[in-house]
Amino acid sequence: MASSFREQWQRRLYRWMRSRIKPANQVKLNQKIIYILPSSSGLVFITAIALVFIAAINYAVSLAFGLAFLMVSLFLLAIFYSWNNLNRLTLSGLPTPAVFCGEQIPFNVMVSREPGRAHETLELQFHEFPTGKQTSASGQQSHSSFINLIDADRDQVRVFALARRRGYYPAPLLRVSTTFPLGLARAWSVVDLNMHCLVYPKPVPFQMEEFTSGSGGNDDSTISREGTEDFYGIREYVPGDPLRQVAWKNLAKGQGMQVKEFVDYVDSRIWLDWDMFYGFSTEERLSRLCYCVLQLAKRNAPYGLKLPGIEIAPGSGLDHRDRLLRALALFGEAEDAR
Protein backbone atom coordinates (compact mmCIF):
# COMPACT_ATOMS: atom_id res chain seq x y z
CA MET A 1 0.00 0.00 0.00
CA ALA A 2 2.76 2.42 0.95
CA SER A 3 4.73 1.55 -2.17
CA SER A 4 1.72 2.12 -4.42
CA PHE A 5 0.99 5.47 -2.78
CA ARG A 6 4.62 6.50 -3.21
CA GLU A 7 4.59 5.59 -6.91
CA GLN A 8 1.41 7.58 -7.49
CA TRP A 9 2.86 10.57 -5.66
CA GLN A 10 6.09 10.37 -7.68
CA ARG A 11 4.13 10.12 -10.93
CA ARG A 12 2.04 13.19 -10.09
CA LEU A 13 5.11 15.12 -8.97
CA TYR A 14 6.93 14.28 -12.20
CA ARG A 15 3.97 15.37 -14.34
CA TRP A 16 3.68 18.58 -12.34
CA MET A 17 7.35 19.33 -12.85
CA ARG A 18 7.02 18.58 -16.58
CA SER A 19 4.12 21.02 -16.87
CA ARG A 20 5.95 23.82 -15.02
CA ILE A 21 9.42 23.52 -16.55
CA LYS A 22 9.50 24.94 -20.06
CA PRO A 23 11.81 23.27 -22.61
CA ALA A 24 14.74 25.40 -23.71
CA ASN A 25 17.87 24.66 -25.70
CA GLN A 26 19.93 26.67 -23.20
CA VAL A 27 19.29 27.43 -19.54
CA LYS A 28 21.19 29.76 -17.21
CA LEU A 29 20.74 28.89 -13.55
CA ASN A 30 19.76 31.67 -11.16
CA GLN A 31 18.23 32.11 -7.73
CA LYS A 32 14.71 31.52 -9.05
CA ILE A 33 15.34 27.92 -10.12
CA ILE A 34 18.01 26.80 -7.64
CA TYR A 35 16.79 24.93 -4.57
CA ILE A 36 18.72 23.89 -1.49
CA LEU A 37 18.09 21.61 1.49
CA PRO A 38 20.29 19.93 4.10
CA SER A 39 21.85 16.68 2.98
CA SER A 40 21.82 13.55 5.12
CA SER A 41 25.17 14.61 6.54
CA GLY A 42 23.71 18.06 7.09
CA LEU A 43 20.83 16.65 9.14
CA VAL A 44 23.32 14.83 11.33
CA PHE A 45 25.28 18.07 11.66
CA ILE A 46 22.12 19.97 12.70
CA THR A 47 21.41 17.31 15.31
CA ALA A 48 24.94 17.69 16.66
CA ILE A 49 24.47 21.48 16.84
CA ALA A 50 21.26 21.01 18.81
CA LEU A 51 22.90 18.62 21.26
CA VAL A 52 25.88 20.94 21.80
CA PHE A 53 23.57 23.91 22.31
CA ILE A 54 21.39 22.00 24.81
CA ALA A 55 24.48 20.90 26.72
CA ALA A 56 25.75 24.49 26.75
CA ILE A 57 22.47 25.71 28.25
CA ASN A 58 22.31 22.95 30.87
CA TYR A 59 25.89 23.29 32.03
CA ALA A 60 26.39 26.97 31.24
CA VAL A 61 29.67 26.30 29.43
CA SER A 62 30.82 29.28 27.41
CA LEU A 63 33.10 27.14 25.28
CA ALA A 64 30.12 24.96 24.29
CA PHE A 65 28.17 28.06 23.25
CA GLY A 66 31.11 29.16 21.13
CA LEU A 67 31.31 25.71 19.51
CA ALA A 68 27.57 25.73 18.77
CA PHE A 69 27.75 29.18 17.18
CA LEU A 70 30.80 28.13 15.15
CA MET A 71 28.97 25.07 13.86
CA VAL A 72 25.97 27.21 12.91
CA SER A 73 28.30 29.58 11.03
CA LEU A 74 29.88 26.67 9.14
CA PHE A 75 26.45 25.37 8.21
CA LEU A 76 25.31 28.76 6.89
CA LEU A 77 28.51 29.14 4.89
CA ALA A 78 28.01 25.64 3.44
CA ILE A 79 24.51 26.64 2.31
CA PHE A 80 25.76 29.82 0.64
CA TYR A 81 28.71 28.19 -1.15
CA SER A 82 26.63 25.23 -2.32
CA TRP A 83 24.06 27.61 -3.81
CA ASN A 84 26.79 29.78 -5.36
CA ASN A 85 28.38 26.71 -6.93
CA LEU A 86 25.34 26.44 -9.22
CA ASN A 87 24.49 30.11 -9.60
CA ARG A 88 25.07 31.60 -13.10
CA LEU A 89 25.96 28.22 -14.56
CA THR A 90 24.80 27.69 -18.18
CA LEU A 91 23.57 24.34 -19.55
CA SER A 92 23.07 23.69 -23.26
CA GLY A 93 21.72 20.65 -25.10
CA LEU A 94 23.75 19.21 -27.98
CA PRO A 95 22.83 16.75 -30.79
CA THR A 96 22.63 13.13 -29.74
CA PRO A 97 23.49 10.11 -31.95
CA ALA A 98 20.81 7.52 -32.68
CA VAL A 99 20.72 4.30 -30.66
CA PHE A 100 18.70 1.08 -30.59
CA CYS A 101 15.86 0.44 -28.20
CA GLY A 102 17.10 -0.95 -24.90
CA GLU A 103 20.48 0.80 -25.09
CA GLN A 104 21.74 3.71 -23.02
CA ILE A 105 21.33 7.07 -24.77
CA PRO A 106 24.40 9.33 -24.39
CA PHE A 107 22.76 12.76 -24.26
CA ASN A 108 25.43 15.45 -24.74
CA VAL A 109 25.27 18.48 -22.46
CA MET A 110 27.53 21.53 -22.68
CA VAL A 111 28.25 23.12 -19.28
CA SER A 112 29.78 26.61 -19.31
CA ARG A 113 30.63 29.27 -16.75
CA GLU A 114 31.12 33.01 -16.62
CA PRO A 115 34.71 34.32 -16.67
CA GLY A 116 36.36 34.39 -13.29
CA ARG A 117 34.04 31.83 -11.66
CA ALA A 118 34.73 28.23 -10.72
CA HIS A 119 32.27 25.37 -10.28
CA GLU A 120 33.34 22.14 -8.63
CA THR A 121 31.84 18.69 -8.10
CA LEU A 122 28.80 19.16 -10.31
CA GLU A 123 26.56 16.09 -10.60
CA LEU A 124 24.22 15.65 -13.57
CA GLN A 125 21.65 12.91 -13.92
CA PHE A 126 18.24 12.26 -15.43
CA HIS A 127 15.27 11.54 -13.26
CA GLU A 128 13.39 8.96 -15.28
CA PHE A 129 9.80 8.17 -14.49
CA PRO A 130 8.28 5.79 -17.11
CA THR A 131 4.83 6.72 -18.36
CA GLY A 132 2.54 5.81 -21.24
CA LYS A 133 3.98 3.07 -23.46
CA GLN A 134 6.89 2.46 -21.14
CA THR A 135 6.84 -0.79 -19.30
CA SER A 136 8.10 -0.05 -15.82
CA ALA A 137 5.84 1.64 -13.30
CA SER A 138 8.41 2.97 -10.88
CA GLY A 139 10.74 5.92 -11.10
CA GLN A 140 14.42 5.28 -11.67
CA GLN A 141 17.50 7.39 -11.24
CA SER A 142 19.96 7.16 -14.11
CA HIS A 143 23.70 6.93 -13.61
CA SER A 144 25.30 10.17 -12.51
CA SER A 145 27.90 12.10 -14.49
CA PHE A 146 30.33 14.48 -12.78
CA ILE A 147 32.14 17.54 -14.07
CA ASN A 148 34.36 20.36 -12.76
CA LEU A 149 34.80 23.79 -14.30
CA ILE A 150 38.01 25.13 -12.80
CA ASP A 151 40.52 25.71 -15.60
CA ALA A 152 38.22 25.59 -18.66
CA ASP A 153 35.30 27.92 -19.27
CA ARG A 154 33.20 25.13 -20.75
CA ASP A 155 33.17 21.39 -21.01
CA GLN A 156 30.98 18.70 -22.51
CA VAL A 157 29.57 15.85 -20.48
CA ARG A 158 27.50 12.80 -21.41
CA VAL A 159 24.45 12.03 -19.33
CA PHE A 160 22.91 8.62 -19.93
CA ALA A 161 19.27 7.56 -20.04
CA LEU A 162 17.72 4.24 -21.02
CA ALA A 163 16.00 4.13 -24.44
CA ARG A 164 12.68 2.58 -23.43
CA ARG A 165 10.89 2.80 -26.78
CA ARG A 166 11.58 3.51 -30.44
CA GLY A 167 10.91 6.78 -32.23
CA TYR A 168 11.88 10.27 -31.14
CA TYR A 169 12.71 9.77 -27.48
CA PRO A 170 12.65 12.97 -25.39
CA ALA A 171 15.28 13.34 -22.70
CA PRO A 172 13.89 13.14 -19.15
CA LEU A 173 14.18 16.11 -16.86
CA LEU A 174 17.83 16.84 -16.12
CA ARG A 175 18.87 17.50 -12.53
CA VAL A 176 22.16 19.27 -11.82
CA SER A 177 23.19 19.27 -8.17
CA THR A 178 26.15 19.77 -5.86
CA THR A 179 27.10 19.27 -2.20
CA PHE A 180 30.30 21.30 -2.51
CA PRO A 181 32.15 22.31 -0.35
CA LEU A 182 31.35 20.48 2.93
CA GLY A 183 28.58 18.09 1.92
CA LEU A 184 26.21 19.57 4.50
CA ALA A 185 23.73 21.03 2.00
CA ARG A 186 22.58 19.90 -1.43
CA ALA A 187 21.75 22.56 -4.01
CA TRP A 188 19.98 21.46 -7.16
CA SER A 189 18.04 22.63 -10.17
CA VAL A 190 15.85 20.72 -12.62
CA VAL A 191 15.82 21.78 -16.29
CA ASP A 192 14.49 20.57 -19.63
CA LEU A 193 17.06 21.14 -22.38
CA ASN A 194 14.67 20.05 -25.14
CA MET A 195 16.90 17.17 -26.22
CA HIS A 196 15.68 14.25 -28.32
CA CYS A 197 17.21 11.08 -29.63
CA LEU A 198 16.16 8.90 -32.55
CA VAL A 199 15.73 5.36 -31.23
CA TYR A 200 15.72 2.47 -33.72
CA PRO A 201 13.79 -0.75 -33.03
CA LYS A 202 15.69 -3.37 -31.09
CA PRO A 203 17.12 -5.85 -33.66
CA VAL A 204 16.04 -9.45 -33.08
CA PRO A 205 18.37 -12.04 -34.69
CA PHE A 206 16.89 -14.90 -36.73
CA GLN A 207 17.85 -17.16 -39.63
CA MET A 208 18.12 -15.23 -42.91
CA GLU A 209 18.91 -17.94 -45.47
CA GLU A 210 16.24 -16.64 -47.82
CA PHE A 211 18.22 -13.41 -48.23
CA THR A 212 21.58 -14.99 -49.04
CA SER A 213 20.82 -15.99 -52.62
CA GLY A 214 20.91 -12.49 -54.09
CA SER A 215 23.77 -11.26 -56.23
CA GLY A 216 26.51 -9.32 -54.54
CA GLY A 217 27.25 -7.20 -57.61
CA ASN A 218 26.13 -3.74 -58.55
CA ASP A 219 23.77 -4.82 -61.35
CA ASP A 220 20.06 -4.76 -60.71
CA SER A 221 19.55 -8.16 -62.35
CA THR A 222 21.32 -11.43 -63.11
CA ILE A 223 20.85 -13.91 -65.95
CA SER A 224 19.36 -17.35 -65.54
CA ARG A 225 20.83 -19.34 -68.47
CA GLU A 226 18.06 -21.91 -68.39
CA GLY A 227 15.19 -19.54 -68.99
CA THR A 228 12.20 -19.51 -71.31
CA GLU A 229 11.46 -15.82 -71.97
CA ASP A 230 14.15 -13.95 -73.95
CA PHE A 231 16.21 -15.28 -76.86
CA TYR A 232 19.89 -15.43 -75.93
CA GLY A 233 21.68 -17.21 -78.79
CA ILE A 234 22.37 -20.49 -80.61
CA ARG A 235 24.68 -23.30 -79.62
CA GLU A 236 25.49 -26.79 -80.86
CA TYR A 237 23.00 -29.52 -80.17
CA VAL A 238 23.73 -31.78 -77.18
CA PRO A 239 21.94 -35.12 -76.86
CA GLY A 240 19.10 -34.66 -74.45
CA ASP A 241 18.18 -31.12 -75.52
CA PRO A 242 14.42 -30.69 -76.13
CA LEU A 243 13.50 -30.91 -79.81
CA ARG A 244 11.21 -27.89 -79.55
CA GLN A 245 14.29 -25.68 -79.13
CA VAL A 246 16.04 -27.04 -82.25
CA ALA A 247 16.75 -24.37 -84.87
CA TRP A 248 15.09 -26.19 -87.77
CA LYS A 249 15.69 -23.34 -90.23
CA ASN A 250 19.41 -23.51 -89.62
CA LEU A 251 19.29 -27.26 -90.05
CA ALA A 252 17.49 -26.82 -93.39
CA LYS A 253 20.24 -24.44 -94.52
CA GLY A 254 22.80 -27.11 -93.83
CA GLN A 255 24.29 -25.44 -90.75
CA GLY A 256 24.00 -28.57 -88.65
CA MET A 257 21.99 -29.45 -85.57
CA GLN A 258 21.69 -26.37 -83.37
CA VAL A 259 19.40 -25.35 -80.52
CA LYS A 260 18.11 -21.98 -79.41
CA GLU A 261 18.98 -20.67 -75.94
CA PHE A 262 16.58 -18.55 -73.87
CA VAL A 263 17.27 -16.65 -70.67
CA ASP A 264 15.32 -15.13 -67.82
CA TYR A 265 16.50 -11.93 -66.16
CA VAL A 266 16.20 -12.37 -62.40
CA ASP A 267 16.01 -9.32 -60.15
CA SER A 268 18.90 -9.56 -57.69
CA ARG A 269 17.66 -6.68 -55.55
CA ILE A 270 16.27 -7.68 -52.15
CA TRP A 271 12.98 -6.34 -50.87
CA LEU A 272 12.23 -6.32 -47.17
CA ASP A 273 8.47 -6.55 -46.95
CA TRP A 274 6.12 -5.98 -44.02
CA ASP A 275 4.22 -9.16 -44.94
CA MET A 276 7.34 -11.30 -44.61
CA PHE A 277 6.59 -11.66 -40.89
CA TYR A 278 2.89 -12.40 -40.98
CA GLY A 279 1.46 -13.22 -37.56
CA PHE A 280 3.92 -11.08 -35.57
CA SER A 281 3.01 -7.91 -33.71
CA THR A 282 4.04 -4.50 -35.02
CA GLU A 283 7.08 -4.18 -32.76
CA GLU A 284 8.16 -7.76 -33.49
CA ARG A 285 8.00 -7.12 -37.23
CA LEU A 286 9.96 -3.89 -36.93
CA SER A 287 12.63 -5.58 -34.80
CA ARG A 288 13.15 -8.34 -37.36
CA LEU A 289 13.18 -5.91 -40.26
CA CYS A 290 15.76 -3.85 -38.36
CA TYR A 291 17.97 -6.93 -38.03
CA CYS A 292 17.60 -7.58 -41.77
CA VAL A 293 18.67 -4.03 -42.59
CA LEU A 294 21.77 -4.30 -40.40
CA GLN A 295 22.80 -7.60 -41.96
CA LEU A 296 22.15 -6.56 -45.56
CA ALA A 297 24.02 -3.29 -45.02
CA LYS A 298 27.19 -5.36 -44.70
CA ARG A 299 26.80 -6.58 -48.30
CA ASN A 300 26.94 -4.78 -51.63
CA ALA A 301 23.61 -6.09 -52.93
CA PRO A 302 20.92 -3.38 -53.13
CA TYR A 303 17.91 -3.80 -50.86
CA GLY A 304 14.69 -1.90 -50.36
CA LEU A 305 11.90 -1.66 -47.82
CA LYS A 306 8.12 -1.94 -48.09
CA LEU A 307 5.98 -0.88 -45.14
CA PRO A 308 2.26 -0.05 -45.11
CA GLY A 309 2.12 3.31 -46.89
CA ILE A 310 5.92 3.49 -47.29
CA GLU A 311 8.16 2.17 -50.06
CA ILE A 312 11.88 2.92 -50.27
CA ALA A 313 13.60 1.86 -53.49
CA PRO A 314 16.55 -0.54 -53.29
CA GLY A 315 19.92 1.00 -52.66
CA SER A 316 23.10 0.50 -50.66
CA GLY A 317 25.53 2.41 -48.49
CA LEU A 318 25.42 3.92 -45.01
CA ASP A 319 23.04 6.72 -45.98
CA HIS A 320 20.57 4.20 -47.39
CA ARG A 321 20.87 2.06 -44.26
CA ASP A 322 20.20 5.04 -42.00
CA ARG A 323 17.21 6.03 -44.13
CA LEU A 324 15.64 2.59 -43.71
CA LEU A 325 16.39 2.50 -39.98
CA ARG A 326 14.80 5.91 -39.62
CA ALA A 327 11.68 4.72 -41.42
CA LEU A 328 11.44 1.73 -39.07
CA ALA A 329 11.96 3.93 -36.00
CA LEU A 330 9.26 6.42 -36.99
CA PHE A 331 6.73 3.92 -38.34
CA GLY A 332 3.32 4.83 -36.99
CA GLU A 333 4.54 8.16 -35.59
CA ALA A 334 4.48 11.68 -36.96
CA GLU A 335 7.75 12.62 -38.70
CA ASP A 336 7.99 15.83 -36.71
CA ALA A 337 6.91 14.35 -33.38
CA ARG A 338 9.73 15.87 -31.35
Side-chain angles (χ1 to χ4, degrees), residues 71-287:
M71 294 175 69
V72 170
S73 300
L74 288 176
F75 186 73
L76 294 177
L77 287 174
I79 291 177
F80 172 76
Y81 278 102
S82 295
W83 172 84
N84 194 52
N85 198 38
L86 293 184
N87 188 35
R88 296 157 69 180
L89 193 70
T90 302
L91 305 175
S92 306
L94 300 177
T96 302
V99 300
F100 294 94
C101 187
E103 295 181 346
Q104 292 288 335
I105 306 174
F107 285 103
N108 297 309
V109 179
M110 179 65 72
V111 185
S112 55
R113 66 174 185 177
E114 292 184 352
R117 294 181 60 86
H119 304 271
E120 302 182 45
T121 321
L122 302 174
E123 178 184 0
L124 290 84
Q125 69 175 168
F126 289 117
H127 180 72
E128 302 180 81
F129 198 89
T131 57
K133 297 180 181 179
Q134 299 164 345
T135 56
S136 175
S138 61
Q140 291 186 355
Q141 290 295 115
S142 62
H143 297 291
S144 299
S145 300
F146 295 89
I147 187 174
N148 294 300
L149 289 181
I150 301 176
D151 298 326
D153 288 336
R154 62 176 58 192
D155 198 0
Q156 182 177 331
V157 61
R158 287 185 173 183
V159 189
F160 294 88
L162 181 63
R164 301 180 181 275
R165 59 175 178 82
R166 64 176 176 85
Y168 275 117
Y169 191 85
L173 295 178
L174 177 65
R175 187 180 74 174
V176 53
S177 61
T178 183
T179 57
F180 178 85
L182 300 178
L184 300 179
R186 177 177 293 274
W188 79 93
S189 184
V190 180
V191 298
D192 185 353
L193 295 181
N194 196 29
M195 295 184 294
H196 295 79
C197 176
L198 182 61
V199 179
Y200 301 139
K202 181 179 180 179
V204 175
F206 69 100
Q207 297 296 327
M208 289 182 53
E209 287 83 0
E210 63 269 27
F211 300 124
T212 60
S213 59
S215 171
N218 295 324
D219 295 334
D220 290 343
S221 60
T222 57
I223 298 175
S224 174
R225 297 296 296 272
E226 297 181 357
T228 59
E229 295 182 358
D230 299 322
F231 177 73
Y232 183 75
I234 296 177
R235 61 174 174 82
E236 295 297 328
Y237 174 81
V238 176
D241 286 339
L243 295 179
R244 58 186 176 84
Q245 292 187 212
V246 173
W248 298 108
K249 292 184 179 180
N250 292 12
L251 180 61
K253 295 179 181 179
Q255 297 178 0
M257 197 74 166
Q258 297 177 328
V259 295
K260 299 177 182 179
E261 277 191 313
F262 295 87
V263 298
D264 292 336
Y265 289 90
V266 181
D267 191 355
S268 65
R269 298 175 301 177
I270 297 173
W271 282 98
L272 300 176
D273 200 313
W274 178 261
D275 295 328
M276 289 166 45
F277 303 102
Y278 179 79
F280 290 90
S281 66
T282 298
E283 297 304 323
E284 291 173 339
R285 293 190 187 194
L286 293 175
S287 294

